[in-house]
Amino acid sequence: MSSKAPQAYEVKELGGTPEQEAYMRDIIDQFTVDTKYLNQIRDHFIVEMQKGLEKEGATVAMIPSFVEGRLTGQEKGHFLALDLGGTNLRVVLVTLEGAGKFKTVSSKSRVSEELKTGPMRNLCDYIAECVDTFLTEQGLEDQEMELNLGYTFSFPVLQSSINRGTLSTWTKGFACTGAVGKDPVLLLQDALLRKHVPVKVSAIVNDTVGTLLSNAYNKPETLAGLILGTGANGAYIEKIDKIKKWKGGKSTSDEMIINMELGAFDNERNILPLTRFDNKLDRESINPHAQLYEKMISGMYLGEITRNVLTDMIDRELLLKREIHTSFAWSKDISRHWSFETAFMSNIEADNSDELSVSKEILDTNLNLHDITTTEARIIKKICELVGKRAARLAACSISAIIKHCEVGPEGCDIGIDGSLYEFYPSFEARMYEALKEMHPEINDIEKTIRLGLARDGSGVGAALTACVAARMEQTA
Ligand code: GLC
């Protein structure tokens, strides 16, 4: 991953009119979060984490995952994993080889908008069909014994055991009917039975918990797992006696992984630096007033925030001003919700050519914006930078909150991160480190102490490891 910051333009360098410059100065002001503000957000975060550990129903839910204890790296065996919750559905066959090594084979399919918002039964039938096809492809369809499957279901599930729970609400654009308040494991198991697929759902796991586990498989100092992709969330290892609301009874360890569901942080709007562009996005979203923090820091939303700024500029005749007869065609695509993808931001930010020809090409091919001027491209790039940088800095607040709450000492810790934003967005990691440095002047070498790293395939390998932990817990219970 490159840690080189993309070339940034200052307002004067954009080459715009005085009106454009004035607008940009105001936008910069609105999207800039300084060190003092970062610290305030972090402190509020710690308070909210505490509330979640004390009682049910808190905004930051702090859900016990029922995954107890730590890994040794020696775990072995074949497991099936299913990953639902991002853009794709994945079925994975994981072979844990011990010594922190593993192999995976997987198949991927897109979940249509219709399935995401239709009856839950249809979604489960579709998943069962994908599992069935995968087993056939892998020659596993005639197993004598049922295969154990770890189900990475990346939504807020209030768990009552390692393979039981109820969905409390949908997030990230999913809205299937007949699922909230129900157990996703039972719904899937029923669909598998209907299709006679010889698979037992033996664990349900959030993607953040999976990411933590997959990172811990070869980095034993792992404290937390984060997802910075379509959605955003975190999990970390907590002492059970600090989980005041825990009524789970006897456990096999004094530690448990907590799925924070941090995307809901500050739904009350007490501290986050919300702009009118964030408010518009929230109001027009499928889940208004929910997941406010997630909406400022995750891949599903960053493009839309950027689009909101761009359309505001267009409305004020500060951008894409053209002759009357062409203006309608110009604004058609950019006026459409979600048309400006976060991936475009990534590519525009990475564009360091003189005339920003790559950015112009992106805008032309994807949004039919022909003949963009270099000044316009610079302005658009600057807006991407502001939205992207704010996201990284705000995301860093949650890391700072976790390490402060857990009183991480000078030995530091590892934090596994998965998700397209972290993996592909230029400088996302560098900007997070920058913010962490500002929030932790007491740490000398931040990169060596708070060791962020890409946890590949947290959802697949993590689910397999959870199935493994489930078996271990069963043995020792
Ligand atoms: C959403 C979900 C959460 C998940 C995250 C990342 O915030 O509610 O469970 O971990 O997205 O996929």
Side-chain angles (χ1 to χ4, degrees):
M1 197 168 308
S2 149
S3 60
K4 187 171 158 279
Q7 186 196 338
Y9 292 100
E10 296 308 323
V11 171
K12 279 281 169 217
E13 290 169 336
L14 296 171
T17 61
E19 290 76 19
Q20 285 173 324
E21 279 185 7
Y23 185 91
M24 289 308 289
R25 263 193 292 275
D26 177 46
I27 291 292
I28 291 173
D29 206 42
Q30 291 191 50
F31 278 90
T32 302
V33 190
D34 64 14
T35 312
K36 192 167 162 226
Y37 202 165
L38 288 177
N39 284 329
Q40 286 168 355
I41 296 170
R42 187 268 323 282
D43 291 345
H44 191 62
F45 214 111
I46 297 176
V47 173
E48 293 297 297
M49 284 171 70
Q50 205 57 48
K51 284 188 195 159
L53 290 172
E54 273 160 26
K55 60 172 187 5
E56 300 294 343
T59 305
V60 179
M62 306 292 277
I63 305 170
S65 66
F66 287 79
V67 179
E68 302 171 2
R70 301 208 182 202
L71 299 174
T72 62
Q74 295 314 318
E75 292 76 8
K76 285 186 183 162
H78 298 283
F79 296 90
L80 212 52
L82 193 65
D83 177 15
L84 178 77
T87 320
N88 297 303
L89 168 75
R90 282 187 329 129
V91 192
V92 195
L93 180 66
V94 185
T95 310
L96 301 175
E97 299 176 326
K101 297 212 172 61
F102 59 81
K103 280 202 187 108
T104 60
V105 194
S106 65
S107 81
K108 202 158 91 172
S109 43
R110 243 189 132 77
V111 184
S112 67
E113 286 308 310
E114 200 184 334
L115 283 172
K116 279 187 190 169
T117 51
M120 183 62 169
R121 189 185 164 103
N122 294 358
L123 179 63
C124 289
D125 282 341
Y126 173 71
I127 300 174
E129 206 174 291
C130 291
V131 174
D132 198 19
T133 312
F134 181 76
L135 292 184
T136 312
E137 281 165 9
Q138 299 301 322
L140 293 167
E141 72 278 31
D142 295 324
Q143 289 272 321
E144 288 283 299
M145 294 237 303
E146 269 182 336
L147 277 166
N148 281 310
L149 177 139
Y151 186 11
T152 304
F153 184 79
S154 303
F155 300 97
V157 172
L158 298 174
Q159 284 186 236
S160 54
S161 75
I162 202 149
N163 64 350
R164 285 286 171 275
T166 51
L167 174 63
S168 64
T169 176
W170 285 114
T171 51
K172 297 177 290 193
F174 277 71
C176 293
T177 51
V180 172
K182 304 249 170 69
D183 185 340
V185 174
L186 293 178
L187 296 176
L188 177 62
Q189 192 69 66
D190 282 351
L192 291 164
L193 284 172
R194 282 198 291 278
K195 284 208 172 340
H196 308 289
V197 184
V199 164
K200 178 174 180 262
V201 186
S202 58
I204 180 162
V205 60
N206 187 265
D207 51 0
T208 54
V209 178
T211 299
L212 192 166
L213 288 172
S214 86
N215 206 68
Y217 193 45
N218 50 34
K219 291 181 187 155
E221 300 304 314
T222 300
L223 172 67
L226 247 63
I227 296 287
L228 295 169
T230 307
N233 190 14
Y236 73 103
I237 303 175
E238 184 58 288
K239 296 263 174 279
I240 291 187
D241 60 13
K242 279 197 180 175
I243 314 171
K244 298 283 179 256
K245 66 182 176 185
W246 174 250
K247 294 190 198 73
K250 186 172 161 291
S251 39
T252 56
S253 157
D254 60 352
E255 292 178 327
M256 174 164 302
I257 300 177
I258 297 285
N259 163 19
M260 301 167 76
E261 285 298 330
L262 57 74
F265 169 63
D266 202 33
N267 279 347
E268 300 85 356
R269 295 168 175 263
N270 282 327
I271 193 126
L272 286 174
L274 292 153
T275 63
R276 64 177 186 279
F277 310 106
D278 298 293
N279 290 336
K280 181 168 186 285
L281 176 143
D282 180 43
R283 180 163 50 74
E284 293 171 346
S285 71
I286 194 170
N287 54 346
H289 308 301
Q291 303 294 103
L292 282 194
Y293 182 54
E294 178 167 73
K295 285 172 180 161
M296 298 175 96
I297 65 171
S298 78
M300 178 163 173
Y301 305 101
L302 298 189
E304 183 66 2
I305 301 172
T306 304
R307 195 188 70 85
N308 282 344
V309 181
L310 298 180
T311 50
D312 184 56
M313 282 192 91
I314 294 171
D315 290 347
R316 290 166 196 253
E317 303 191 345
L318 292 172
L319 197 69
L320 310 187
K321 199 169 170 215
R322 298 292 187 274
E323 296 301 318
I324 290 174
H325 63 277
T326 51
S327 61
F328 176 69
W330 265 86
S331 55
K332 205 161 164 242
D333 285 319
I334 192 117
S335 296
R336 203 166 19 86
H337 273 155
W338 312 106
S339 61
F340 200 96
E341 293 175 19
T342 303
F344 305 163
M345 294 173 66
S346 274
N347 296 333
I348 291 174
E349 275 224 59
D351 178 10
N352 275 332
S353 61
D354 269 355
E355 299 290 316
L356 295 181
S357 46
V358 178
S359 304
K360 289 176 186 166
E361 176 81 31
I362 294 168
L363 296 164
D364 189 347
T365 340
N366 297 289
L367 294 160
N368 281 314
L369 295 175
H370 321 298
D371 307 322
I372 287 275
T373 67
T374 302
T375 295
E376 285 173 332
R378 286 198 198 121
I379 289 176
I380 295 173
K381 181 174 177 185
K382 181 75 191 173
I383 294 167
C384 293
E385 180 202 313
L386 290 170
V387 175
K389 189 166 176 183
R390 186 189 67 164
R393 290 171 72 78
L394 290 177
C397 292
S398 62
I399 299 180
S400 173
I402 295 171
I403 57 184
K404 269 217 150 179
H405 170 88
C406 296
E407 297 171 3
V408 171
E411 71 291 356
C413 66
D414 287 290
I415 296 186
I417 311 183
D418 200 0
S420 47
L421 210 51
Y422 179 72
E423 190 173 358
F424 302 119
Y425 199 101
S427 288
F428 207 85
E429 187 193 55
R431 288 166 176 169
M432 285 205 294
Y433 268 131
E434 217 174 272
L436 281 172
K437 232 183 255 167
E438 292 168 31
M439 284 184 278
H440 293 275
E442 77 285 3
I443 301 181
N444 279 335
D445 190 338
I446 198 87
E447 303 191 13
K448 287 218 173 83
T449 316
I450 308 304
R451 297 172 297 270
L452 310 182
L454 187 65
R456 282 198 186 278
D457 199 9
S459 306
V461 179
L465 287 162
T466 312
C468 203
V469 172
R472 182 175 75 191
M473 282 162 57
E474 220 164 73
Q475 278 163 18
T476 47

